[in-house]
Amino acid sequence: MTLVDILLGRRLANREGGGQKIGWIAGVPAMGLDGLGSASYGPEAALTILVPLGALSLAWIGWVIAPIVALLAILYLSYRQTIVAYPSNGGAYTVAKENLGPGASLLAAAALMVDYVLNVAVGISAGVGALISSVPALHAWTLPLCLCVLALVAVANLRGTREAGLLFAAPTYLFVFSFLALIALALVRLWTGHPQPVVAPPRLAAGTQAASVWLLMRAFAAGCTAMTGVEAVSNGVSAFREPVIRNAHRTLTVICLSLGLLLVGIAMVAHGYAIGAMDQTRPDYQSVLSQLAAAIAGHGVVYYVAMASLLAVLCLSANTSFVGFPRICRLVALDDYLPRSFALADRRLVFSVGVVFLTVVAGVLLVAFGGITDRLIPLFAIGAFLTFTISQIGMVVHWRRQAGRNAGRLAINATGATVTIVALVVILAAKFLEGAWIVVIAVPAIILMLAGIHRHYRRLGERLAVSGPFAVEETEPPTVLVAYEDRTAMTDRALRFAMTLSPDVIAVHLMKLAGPEAEEQVAPLREAFEREIAGPVAAQGIRPPRLMMIPAPYREIAGPVLELVDKIDADTPGRSVAILIPQLVLRHWWERLLHGRRASRLRAALLAKAGPRLMVVTSPWQG
Amino acid sequence: MTLVDILLGRRLANREGGGQKIGWIAGVPAMGLDGLGSASYGPEAALTILVPLGALSLAWIGWVIAPIVALLAILYLSYRQTIVAYPSNGGAYTVAKENLGPGASLLAAAALMVDYVLNVAVGISAGVGALISSVPALHAWTLPLCLCVLALVAVANLRGTREAGLLFAAPTYLFVFSFLALIALALVRLWTGHPQPVVAPPRLAAGTQAASVWLLMRAFAAGCTAMTGVEAVSNGVSAFREPVIRNAHRTLTVICLSLGLLLVGIAMVAHGYAIGAMDQTRPDYQSVLSQLAAAIAGHGVVYYVAMASLLAVLCLSANTSFVGFPRICRLVALDDYLPRSFALADRRLVFSVGVVFLTVVAGVLLVAFGGITDRLIPLFAIGAFLTFTISQIGMVVHWRRQAGRNAGRLAINATGATVTIVALVVILAAKFLEGAWIVVIAVPAIILMLAGIHRHYRRLGERLAVSGPFAVEETEPPTVLVAYEDRTAMTDRALRFAMTLSPDVIAVHLMKLAGPEAEEQVAPLREAFEREIAGPVAAQGIRPPRLMMIPAPYREIAGPVLELVDKIDADTPGRSVAILIPQLVLRHWWERLLHGRRASRLRAALLAKAGPRLMVVTSPWQG
């Protein structure tokens, strides 16, 4: 049992793939952490934009949250349809590819990738930031904490989506139940006329500004961050077990319903208890959800349980990306727009190249920003809404192409497309100068990269293509050269191998390889070869191997050997040459330090410069 | 012309080895920088120990320096003889090996290695420290400056000893001439009765202590650091061109004479001008040589030129190690006590593994100590004196074994041995608690490591040994397996190669390698193989390759292939199996990111687990 086995679990067989699939109960934490966690920062972001209105902000919060919830409802209905139409995989990439062509699908892929990467960095830094604001002693450990959470989520996902879903289920459900219960309690109290908060939130400052359309639009754009992560289920359909559609639908329903209830509830309770956003730079800063929980339940056990679950959900919201990113990369790789290794299932049937790539990129972002990724938040949500839009437009085209009565479905997706386009324009306009321009640069850059990779694979494919029947050109065995320093058990075996491959075997000895001061005993070496090898073989009536000594004036192995190969090629046109390299197989890593890598290096150099008639044979020797 | 060519120079041929050899003019900077530079810190270290005597220290400095210079004279005579007796290489390792046996030679090697490594770290940090005390603005850059100097010296030595010697000649000779001239001027002035310093050194504090034997012994031990580096010439004899002995003698003479004159001169001038050591932690600290130069020449151009040359010599004193360390490692490696790569001459005929190893270890020391390696200075000199002692005892044995009139030579080496033993004991006693105990631990640890490496090579040699004539066991061609995914130009070539090696060729296709969701078209693949490959080959009247499809339930290539090999081995006892892996040869580094390393990994896995009848053939394809 190695460390890797303990960390990642045993290797799974292909037939165990079904067991790794998840139902809706594990699906909600696996794919919903991002969406649910965003309930905490979406309303807060909207209220922060409204701060200049002072107490008046509470009058407007409903007008901002209502369209967001309506948008969520439309997206919910749209994605339900998408899952039915594309039950194997209904992500924006697939929908765009099938209905809009490769350009739109690459745009969707690039937007999704950007958003998934940002989600990891922002989610983890937001969660750790919230943790640190409750335990200030941890402040110096911000970056290490971020990286630890990243490592935890990455390892959980390398073990498999199922394991990650089960591992993260407790905090997810605890968060949803505790906040829904708190909100319900508050609403009952407000309804029954007991609007007195247990712990009063700080008084809102006087307004400095009147409400304007621009301000409300910006608040709406900020609040839309609550919607990132809704796409995740449609991208991850392939992770569900049978019945796939029902499991995906249930997961989507639980996520969207919980998120909608949380958004509406938070807006109503904030209004009822006069809770507004506070300045994050103030030392007594408290988040909206913290004020809300304290106002309803006081600073008791319930408050701490609810806040702890919120912290966990924020930290783990990165998990949504870890489910979605490798799957989208796999699809893109299957179409040759990404390296093919992204499409390979690893020991745990996870597309681990994608997981590792996401971890590294997010880790670099975290390190570059020191674990404080506030500046990345404005970049967020653009990718998501770009994806929503492409996906909806693709579905509109899909329904138009389909025969039958799809008018209702088409109407839902058309509405979705229109609304998300409007939202996208609002978000872009509101956030462009705050950093959204970076996304506007990054997405085309990624598309160019994907297209470049595709071109590479296409050209390689053209070079590799063959037509017509296979023809045998040469049946003569090759000349076999055996790298020969001195007679050992290893070279004996190599010579035996060589003699089974061809009657024409040459042992090649390079002279003065170690430098001008190397001591060489050319005559004894030649004599021993004749006496111990060539003579006895000839006596058996077999054509013996010859010994050839060539100088290595530049102490370099590949050059003289390739020269010799050229000479043999010229002498025996058409026939191939095989170079046999005896290689010592070492048992321990430290033994490699003692032996250099002459065999590997020679092989690499020969392969790099090989003509069309050279092959390299390695004869392992373990002693 | 690549970057490596520009940095290190073109590849040199073995026959150019002679051109890389040096004469005595380049020999002095190449091997004497350590010895000459130590003139600056040896007397200072002695005077620092004498500080508690106050002004009385000046009365005693002569009594401390005199035995050091006498010791130097004895060592000079001894090493002259050693060079004559061992003109190919007269280092302590060789002398001990030939006369005292492997135990003593390993002790000498370990002591030398420790001292060479310490010399690099201490020399560079001392030089950079002196530079920073003149330009305090550079203080924050201590470590980067140290690492830059280390890189400079390392690259100069990777270009070759000759280039390093020529590059560093100017500061070396400038240092020797300027300080000898200054001392001569001062002595003339003192002689003619003008003992007034131009810039008066700070007054010496009143004594707090009387002179004791222990204090004087400690001062002597501290001053002995001036002698490190004297060994270097005897270790580097092989770097000299013909006439080797004369060049080595001249180099040794210049170094020892200059060092002796500097030591005596510094002691006399310090006495005449009442110059003592200052507390290094005082902000107005000035080194002894700085006070001395200022007292003689004032703070003018001469002062700055002299001090600049001193800084350069200190910084570059690491160079001595870069000449000696790789050569001693080569000798040790030739005896199989170090990895054999230490004995290989590289593109510039340098033993670059030793150079790189020294650079890395010294770099780690510098980084670990932040570029301030004061604490390493007490560890210094122990290795040197241990080496001196072993070398002298070895020479005594050498002369006793030789026939002829060697009584005089034996006497010189016997005196040298006695004196260095006494000095070693004094140094160990005086410095044990200050850190010398680390050397007492490190040296045996290194010896154990060297012995372990030797044991590994010896056991391997026993396993590799063969006796008796070579016997052919099997002449049947092997079964050749060809890794086959789908028909391409690459697999076509691989199959052609395979068919020249053996009539028994099997194309092996692994199913479901990418994961349970991989789409496989088993029937069309088989049909295409029959139609396009097997059919046409059979029609040519040649035995066609077969296609074998085996499942890869764990998405791992080597396992199923090795199982198949076991099966074939059982079916065809005695016959070997060759596995032919087609490998795409990529032209650009970034292409490797797109292709994974499936061929290399499969080969590595097969080699690691190969039985005695398996060979691995790589068929390169460049398209």
Side-chain angles (χ1 to χ4, degrees), chain A residues 481-531:
Chain A
L481 308 180
V482 179
Y484 186 87
E485 206 171 335
D486 204 351
R487 189 186 171 204
T488 62
M490 186 161 74
T491 56
D492 267 16
R493 179 189 294 170
L495 284 172
R496 282 195 198 101
F497 275 146
M499 291 171 70
T500 66
L501 297 179
S502 167
D504 189 10
V505 175
I506 304 175
V508 178
H509 176 90
L510 294 182
M511 292 184 290
K512 292 274 182 194
L513 204 53
E517 288 161 48
E519 286 168 26
E520 289 279 351
Q521 293 166 322
V522 173
L525 192 77
R526 182 174 292 285
E527 195 206 318
F529 189 89
E530 291 302 325
R531 189 182 63 239

Side-chain angles (χ1 to χ4, degrees), chain A residues 225-450:
Chain A
T225 50
M227 222 115 51
T228 60
V230 170
E231 162 90 8
V233 177
S234 71
N235 272 321
V237 180
S238 61
F240 287 106
R241 66 166 167 258
E242 291 292 341
V244 171
I245 293 179
R246 196 191 301 166
N247 277 318
H249 273 180
R250 281 207 184 148
T251 305
L252 188 67
T253 306
V254 171
I255 293 170
C256 288
L257 195 63
S258 307
L259 179 57
L261 288 176
L262 283 171
L263 291 178
V264 171
I266 289 167
M268 289 173 76
V269 176
H271 185 254
Y273 282 125
I275 294 167
M278 291 172 72
D279 184 353
Q280 287 209 29
T281 57
R282 274 172 57 178
D284 60 343
Y285 164 77
Q286 289 213 8
S287 70
V288 168
L289 283 198
S290 167
Q291 293 179 56
L292 184 140
I296 302 169
H299 284 134
V301 174
V302 174
Y303 170 85
Y304 285 107
V305 168
M307 293 311 290
S309 71
L310 170 60
L311 290 187
V313 165
L314 273 177
C315 281
L316 303 177
S317 68
N319 195 61
T320 305
S321 294
F322 277 91
V323 176
F325 187 85
R327 287 186 166 73
I328 179 77
C329 287
R330 169 177 178 255
L331 292 176
V332 175
L334 284 177
D335 291 336
D336 284 347
Y337 285 100
L338 271 180
R340 281 164 192 168
S341 50
F342 278 94
L344 298 178
D346 75 350
R347 54 188 283 135
R348 295 290 292 179
L349 295 165
V350 171
F351 306 112
S352 53
V353 174
V355 172
V356 172
F357 185 82
L358 178 63
T359 309
V360 170
V361 176
V364 168
L365 271 183
L366 283 172
V367 170
F369 287 83
I372 299 155
T373 25
D374 273 356
R375 261 169 282 175
L376 294 177
I377 289 189
L379 285 63
F380 213 30
I382 297 169
F385 274 80
L386 192 53
T387 315
F388 292 157
T389 306
I390 298 167
S391 168
Q392 302 298 328
I393 297 176
M395 287 306 292
V396 170
V397 174
H398 173 80
W399 297 127
R400 287 191 55 175
R401 286 184 185 166
Q402 297 272 318
R405 290 169 302 167
N406 291 317
R409 289 169 182 158
L410 193 149
I412 288 176
N413 284 123
T415 314
T418 316
V419 177
T420 49
I421 285 178
V422 172
L424 178 63
V425 171
V426 170
I427 294 170
L428 258 179
K431 294 184 168 186
F432 191 79
L433 291 179
E434 286 174 70
W437 59 271
I438 298 175
V439 177
V440 175
I441 292 171
V443 167
I446 293 171
I447 293 177
L448 282 180
M449 193 191 70
L450 299 178

Side-chain angles (χ1 to χ4, degrees), chain A residues 11-14 21 330 339-340 343-347 349 453 456-457 460 463-464 466 468-478 487-490 492-493 495-497 499-501 512 514-517 532-533 536-537 540 542 552-556 576 583-585 587 590-591 593-595 598 603 607-608 610 612-618 620-623, chain B residues 11-14 21 330 339-340 343-347 349 453 456-457 460 463-464 466 468-478 487-490 492-493 495-497 499-501 512 514-517 532-533 536-537 540 542 552-556 576 583-585 587 590-591 593-595 598 603 607-608 610 612-618 620-623:
Chain A
R11 189 175 265 277
L12 295 174
N14 277 337
K21 302 274 178 172
R330 169 177 178 255
R340 281 164 192 168
L344 298 178
D346 75 350
R347 54 188 283 135
L349 295 165
I453 292 171
H456 167 83
Y457 279 121
L460 181 66
R463 276 158 57 207
L464 280 171
V466 273
F470 179 88
V472 180
E473 285 161 2
E474 174 75 44
T475 49
E476 279 289 292
R487 189 186 171 204
T488 62
M490 186 161 74
D492 267 16
R493 179 189 294 170
L495 284 172
R496 282 195 198 101
F497 275 146
M499 291 171 70
T500 66
L501 297 179
K512 292 274 182 194
E517 288 161 48
E532 295 178 12
I533 300 175
V537 170
Q540 280 189 268
I542 302 169
Y554 288 90
R555 302 165 306 290
E556 198 236 342
S576 50
Q583 181 165 347
L584 195 62
V585 177
R587 287 167 193 163
W590 54 266
E591 291 182 324
L593 299 177
L594 304 183
H595 286 279
R598 211 180 242 188
R603 184 172 52 225
L607 292 178
R613 298 213 305 277
L614 184 82
M615 63 192 127
V616 180
V617 188
T618 308
W621 192 85
Q622 291 174 311
Chain B
R11 190 174 265 276
L12 295 174
N14 276 339
K21 302 274 177 170
R330 170 176 178 256
R340 280 163 192 168
L344 298 177
D346 74 350
R347 54 188 285 135
L349 295 165
I453 291 172
H456 167 83
Y457 280 121
L460 181 65
R463 276 158 56 206
L464 280 170
V466 273
F470 179 88
V472 180
E473 285 162 2
E474 175 74 43
T475 48
E476 279 290 292
R487 190 185 171 203
T488 63
M490 187 160 76
D492 267 16
R493 179 189 293 170
L495 284 172
R496 281 195 198 101
F497 274 145
M499 292 170 69
T500 66
L501 297 178
K512 293 272 183 195
E517 288 161 48
E532 296 178 12
I533 300 176
V537 171
Q540 280 188 269
I542 302 169
Y554 288 91
R555 302 164 307 289
E556 196 236 342
S576 49
Q583 180 165 347
L584 196 62
V585 177
R587 287 167 194 165
W590 54 266
E591 292 181 323
L593 299 176
L594 304 184
H595 286 279
R598 211 180 241 189
R603 183 172 52 225
L607 291 178
R613 297 214 305 277
L614 185 81
M615 63 191 128
V616 180
V617 188
T618 308
W621 191 87
Q622 290 173 311

